[in-house]
Amino acid sequence: IILGSSLVILLGALLSLMNKKYRHTFFSTETGGQMTRRFFLEGDDIMKKGVFTVHKSHRWPIRDKVTVWVKQGWATWEE
């Protein structure tokens, strides 16, 4: 009970000290896989390469788009 209470107090302190305009970034219902796919589909090449730094299950739904992107950029990246 003491540990749980301490965690609630610390979380409350963190949120109260946080800049109010950034509080919305602290919580999200977006999963890691959804974020990975969003970064790939909406991002530039630097953001897209992040698709290879996460578990392959995150990119499975967009694997065809990832394959096309890699094939298009391969020659450029080899230089």
Side-chain angles (χ1 to χ4, degrees):
I1 292 177
I2 294 173
L3 181 60
S5 300
S6 298
L7 290 174
V8 169
I9 291 170
L10 287 172
L11 181 60
L14 174 68
L15 291 175
S16 68
L17 294 172
M18 185 183 295
N19 190 330
K20 289 182 182 180
K21 70 179 184 178
Y22 297 119
R23 282 190 189 156
H24 73 279
T25 65
F26 194 69
F27 301 99
S28 175
T29 58
E30 185 176 45
T31 66
Q34 290 168 338
M35 184 178 70
T36 299
R37 292 185 290 275
R38 179 172 54 84
F39 282 176
F40 182 83
L41 296 173
E42 299 173 6
D44 57 10
D45 280 349
I46 293 172
M47 291 178 74
K48 287 182 179 189
K49 72 178 181 179
V51 78
F52 298 109
T53 64
V54 296
H55 193 269
K56 63 182 178 180
S57 64
H58 288 203
R59 67 179 173 265
W60 184 254
I62 56 170
R63 64 191 176 279
D64 295 336
K65 292 179 180 177
V66 173
T67 302
V68 168
W69 176 71
V70 169
K71 286 180 180 179
Q72 288 175 345
W74 191 261
T76 304
W77 302 328
E78 278 191 321
E79 294 175 356

